[in-house]
Structures are given as C-alpha cells and as structure tokens.
Amino acid sequence: MDGKYNFTILKSTQFFINTTCLNPIFLSSSREKKRRRIEDLTEKMAVDGGHRDSGCDWDGRWNHVRKFLERPGPFTHPDFEPSTESLQFLLETCKILVIGAGGLGCELLKNLALSGFRLIHVVDMDTIDVSNLNRQFLFRPKDVGRPKAEVAADFINSRIPGCKVVPHFKKIQDFDESFYRQFHIIVCGLDSIIARRWMNGMLISLLSYEDGVLDPSSIIPLIDGGTEGFKGNARVILPGMTACIDCTLELYPPQINFPMCTIASMPRLPEHCIEYARILQWPKEKPFGDTSLDGDNPEHIQWVFDRAQERAAEFNITGVTYRLTQGVVKRIIPAVASTNAVIAAACATEVFKIATSAYIPLNNYLVFNDVDGLYTYTFEAERKENCSACSQVPQDLQFPPSAKLQEVLEYLTENASLQMKSPAITTTLEGKNKTLYLQSVKSIEERTRPNLCKTLKELGLSDGQELAVADVTTPQTVLFKLNFTA
Ligand SMILES: [Zn+2]
C-alpha cells in the first residue's frame, strides 16, 4: 500500500465520520450494526469461554496481525518472506517473559496478548495498592492486596481466549538460569535500576562462547521499557551484541540525596526539613519504638510531617505538606498513564518485530519526553569496551598501595559506570578465600569493618591481585584486578 492510497482511505474515513454525526437515521442503523457485531463476538468468546486451545480462533481473529506477516511491504525486513508460519509461531511456540505487572506490565500484557502472543509468563513481587488503580487497568478495587502477577494473569486469561499467562508472585532473584533460558524474548517493565541490572546480568550469564565467538543461539533479546512521569525510554538489547544496561549506566542519574550537612544545618527547601525528620529525628526519638519508618503508615507520615513543619517554621521555609512528606519518604515519582501506554506500545512492537523477524528492530534506544511539547529521539547506544557486565574484559582498579579499603569501596559505589549498592569484596590470600568487607550480614560487617581503615598494603594485597566483588546489581561476581599506582 503506498502513501497516496493510504491518504484516500483516511479522507473517506473522515467523511464517513462526519456523515454519521450529522445523520440520525444513519447513526441508529450503525449503532444497531455495532450492537449486533458485539453480540456476535461475545457469543464467540463465550463459546470458547477462555478455553485454552487453539480452537478459539474464529474467522478473521488475527486479520490485523496477518496484514503484517502474510504480505510484502516497503518497510519489512530485507530478508522477510511473507508466510503463515510466523503467526503460527506467535500463537503456538513463542514464549515471552514479562517482568513487572505494574503500570508498564499491564499495558505490555494486554498489547502482547492482543498481538497473538499466548505463552506469556509474568513475574512481579508486589501486591495491588489502591493507588495503582488509576492506571494499572487489569486491577479492580476488589483486588487490592492480591498479588499483581496473579490478578493480571487471571484478567488476561479470562478476557482473551486462548491466552495462557502464567503468573509468578516472586522476585526475579528467586529464579535461576534454567527458568530464564526457556524464553524466546524477555520484556522488562520495571521501576528499579537494580532489578534491571540484575536481569541484564542474568541474560549475559546465559551467553555461551566458543573460542571467543558468541553462539547466537544463546542470546535472549531483552526489551526494556522505563518511565518516570512524562519521560520514558524503550530499548532493545541483544546481550553480548549490542549495548547492555551497564554499558550505558552513566545515563541513569544517581538517586538524588540531599547532602547531610544541608539537611542537618542549612535547610533551604521543604524537602530538607522532611529529610531532617526522617533521617535524623526518627531514629533518635523512636516515636513508635523500634519499628522502622513505614511510608504506607499514615501515623508515621503524620509524625514526620509534624516534625518537618516545626523545622520549617524555625528556618522560615514554606511548602511542607502532608502530600510532599509522603512523596519524599516514599520517593514517589508521579506515574503518568499515557507515558506508560506509549512506552509499552513501543516495547510490544519490538517484541513483535523480533519474534517474527518481519521488521528491523529498533536500533536501539528510544527517548520519549512530553514534559514540554513532545519530543522523541532514537539513537544507537554503543557498547562499552570495558563494560563490567558484558565485556568479558577484567576490570581494572587503580590505587596506590597506601589507599584504604574504604576508598575502594567508595569507588565501587560512586563511579558512574559501576554504581554498586553494597559491594562485598573477597580475595584469595595465601591460597585461602578471605572476605575483606561484607555489608549484608551484620556479624560479618562488624568483623570486617576494621579492614576499611586499613591500607591495601596492610591488608596484604599485592599488585595484580584479583578482587571478587558481589553486589545486588548483578547475579554474577565481578572480577577486578588491582593495579598499584605509584
Ligand atoms: Zn555492557
């Protein structure tokens, strides 16, 4: 179909719409037609009743998808040959994993299921909160408190005949390689960078190399969507081939934390006052005993709000509200339903393109921003030669022997391309495994804490020493080589 033809159709549709609006007789007959069509469809769906066999494919059900797969076109992949096999692959074989059943996840599941994907698994560790209901449209008030993955799967399965969504009310870290290996494509709709990086690391760990050459059959494409208010991005990652999440880590700004000195002594913003109450007053005054601050507990928020107001009054700062208090404590970024819809649509389209090989996939990073006007942009994010996740190049650590272990720890967490969260550092000394520092287990943290003040030399480390670093951002240990500088 060329552009001209397309245009004619558009014009006539417009005309048709105008006529319908103006002509009441036509309107009622078209309404009648629509009613009959809905009845007809409902009957077909009722007959199938969500039955999980392919017998529910009524005539013309997949016509919208067939148009893309069973005829040639100017925008198809150069190697594309129209056939009926692609659709059969989608319907019967292609297995998709959706990570996250929240704002993006609901959109993704709906889009994928309506595009013909039927074997879908969804992983989400969250339960439904009442505040989700404005945009996470697979959930209803009666579902509040239930696992998102389960409710989303039930909804899709009962609404879209033949679709078999399998829910997992779990963390992504609860599954091992064998679970992830079963999927053709993985789509992420996550709000956590740590989880994204972990998933990225998992797919990289599944790659197999023979004589240094990547086996393409070990690649599981990762489609990643992310939104934050009016901004979003969608990207296609072919692990081991194109830029991975960690290759472009510099693109994720570190979480904004106010400097402690500002909070403690020179507050200027209402946020500083709230942080003062949250970080300094709460642990000191222990208003509810030993319970830690719970952002979902109204009494806790009220307490922080009251203290923050007192502090604000002291420094003549205005703007401390209950809502802002909750926002700061829970680190809430407002979610915009339409941003989720745009990004999920882009992601689902990429899944479709890759699964069918009918179109050239996004190469490889799409930016969307409608904060002010509407702006989109696509660029090719490049692989980082020494990416700590996907490069297979040992990571260098350059420090003088007089540097303290604390400095190494700070480097691992603060370096823009590493951004680790709570790295655990181990090494081999005199043939024995030695933990230099580990944060996550209290007793080990206490035992290894004195090491932080020791120099690398005092710890017995030598030039060229290998340090193994484990962190929540990756399922695999990252190896670093210590290079002593003068
Ligand atoms: Zn990488």
Side-chain angles (χ1 to χ4, degrees):
M1 185 188 290
D2 64 31
K4 212 163 150 196
Y5 188 45
N6 223 337
F7 181 62
T8 335
I9 289 186
L10 262 181
K11 265 179 93 174
S12 63
T13 319
Q14 212 169 17
F15 181 65
F16 176 77
I17 291 166
N18 287 341
T19 333
T20 26
C21 297
L22 293 171
N23 185 337
I25 299 165
F26 190 86
L27 190 67
S28 72
S29 87
S30 97
R31 247 191 222 146
E32 174 59 19
K33 245 193 221 164
K34 192 176 169 195
R35 194 187 59 78
R36 254 188 261 138
R37 191 170 144 67
I38 290 173
E39 258 178 18
D40 202 32
L41 271 175
T42 318
E43 201 172 87
K44 275 171 184 157
M45 289 170 96
V47 169
D48 301 312
H51 271 296
R52 294 140 186 15
D53 56 16
S54 50
C56 56
D57 285 338
W58 56 88
D59 265 358
R61 179 173 182 188
W62 300 110
N63 277 353
H64 61 300
V65 182
R66 287 206 155 102
K67 282 179 186 135
F68 291 102
L69 303 178
E70 297 179 8
R71 58 183 194 178
F75 300 114
T76 56
H77 194 288
D79 300 331
F80 170 68
E81 279 179 29
S83 82
T84 54
E85 283 165 24
S86 295
L87 180 60
Q88 287 318 303
F89 175 73
L90 288 197
L91 297 174
E92 287 158 21
T93 314
C94 190
K95 220 167 163 182
I96 307 286
L97 175 63
V98 175
I99 306 207
L104 279 171
C106 283
E107 293 276 356
L108 284 168
L109 287 167
K110 171 261 290 171
N111 291 351
L112 293 169
L114 291 173
S115 310
F117 293 95
R118 287 175 159 170
L119 310 176
I120 305 173
H121 285 233
V122 58
V123 181
D124 196 303
M125 59 183 278
D126 270 351
T127 53
I128 298 162
D129 185 76
V130 71
S131 65
N132 302 146
L133 301 179
N134 69 339
R135 61 193 185 283
Q136 299 177 20
F137 52 82
L138 301 177
F139 313 142
R140 297 290 174 269
K142 66 173 169 45
D143 302 320
V144 169
R146 287 187 61 202
K148 288 186 177 179
E150 286 170 14
V151 176
D154 284 351
F155 193 112
I156 297 281
N157 290 342
S158 65
R159 185 68 175 259
I160 304 178
C163 199
K164 297 170 218 174
V165 181
V166 180
H168 303 277
F169 176 37
K170 285 189 170 176
K171 290 195 279 196
I172 51 172
Q173 291 87 349
D174 292 340
F175 297 97
D176 61 8
E177 295 185 359
S178 60
F179 173 78
Y180 291 108
R181 217 188 285 277
Q182 65 179 308
F183 298 100
H184 290 96
I185 301 172
I186 297 182
V187 207
C188 279
L190 287 164
D191 57 4
S192 147
I193 294 172
I194 294 180
R196 245 189 211 104
R197 289 176 69 185
W198 190 91
M199 204 52 239
N200 180 63
M202 172 52 80
L203 295 185
I204 288 163
S205 76
L206 296 182
L207 298 175
S208 61
Y209 290 83
E210 212 168 297
D211 297 328
V213 181
L214 178 61
D215 171 7
S217 70
S218 66
I219 298 174
I220 300 176
L222 172 66
I223 317 292
D224 179 55
T227 66
E228 205 176 270
F230 289 100
K231 296 183 222 168
N233 72 275
R235 58 191 295 186
V236 173
I237 295 168
L238 304 174
M241 287 183 69
T242 65
C244 80
I245 301 278
D246 282 55
C247 284
T248 56
L249 210 54
E250 276 108 336
L251 294 177
Y252 299 106
Q255 196 174 45
I256 299 167
N257 284 315
F258 302 109
M260 192 51 87
C261 55
T262 309
I263 295 170
S265 49
M266 298 180 296
R268 281 173 284 106
L269 300 172
E271 286 87 347
H272 295 156
C273 303
I274 298 164
E275 287 291 70
Y276 181 80
R278 180 180 80 88
I279 300 172
L280 298 168
Q281 285 178 288
W282 180 278
K284 206 166 120 198
E285 298 183 22
K286 294 194 169 76
F288 297 88
D290 273 331
T291 34
S292 52
L293 180 55
D294 175 3
D296 291 316
N297 184 330
E299 287 179 44
H300 289 195
I301 296 293
Q302 186 66 43
W303 187 90
V304 175
F305 173 47
D306 292 341
R307 295 295 88 71
Q309 273 191 313
E310 289 164 15
R311 178 122 177 120
E314 201 181 315
F315 288 88
N316 288 321
I317 294 167
T318 54
V320 175
T321 61
Y322 183 86
R323 209 183 156 87
L324 182 71
T325 307
Q326 201 177 29
V328 171
V329 171
K330 293 182 76 179
R331 311 226 168 250
I332 295 173
I333 293 156
V336 176
S338 57
T339 313
N340 285 337
V342 170
I343 295 301
C347 290
T349 308
E350 292 310 313
V351 176
F352 181 83
K353 282 154 76 175
I354 292 175
T356 60
S357 309
Y359 297 85
I360 298 167
L362 171 75
N363 185 25
N364 50 32
Y365 200 119
L366 169 115
V367 183
F368 172 85
N369 183 341
D370 62 355
V371 171
D372 185 12
L374 196 156
Y375 176 79
T376 68
Y377 175 65
T378 300
F379 69 99
E380 185 181 349
E382 284 181 16
R383 282 190 80 181
K384 210 171 121 198
E385 256 173 56
N386 59 345
C387 170
S388 64
C390 76
S391 72
Q392 292 196 300
V393 173
Q395 300 293 304
D396 267 349
L397 278 178
Q398 311 257 4
F399 282 95
S402 59
K404 298 201 168 106
L405 188 64
Q406 175 76 41
E407 294 171 49
V408 176
L409 192 76
E410 279 164 13
Y411 174 81
L412 295 173
T413 52
E414 286 166 17
N415 182 283
S417 57
L418 293 171
Q419 296 186 37
M420 292 185 163
K421 299 299 157 192
S422 55
I425 312 173
T426 55
T427 192
T428 313
L429 279 174
E430 290 159 1
K432 278 186 198 159
N433 241 342
K434 192 179 173 198
T435 302
L436 296 173
Y437 186 66
L438 193 149
Q439 225 170 330
S440 52
V441 182
K442 201 170 165 243
S443 60
I444 305 181
E445 197 280 328
E446 283 167 6
R447 188 162 51 76
T448 55
R449 196 186 303 157
N451 287 344
L452 292 176
C453 311
K454 291 186 189 160
T455 66
L456 303 178
K457 202 175 160 211
E458 284 167 350
L459 288 165
L461 305 177
S462 49
D463 191 34
Q465 181 108 26
E466 273 196 351
L467 301 181
V469 180
D471 189 53
V472 287
T473 54
T474 166
Q476 286 188 308
T477 306
V478 185
L479 277 186
F480 286 88
K481 202 173 158 197
L482 191 59
N483 281 327
F484 276 162
T485 54

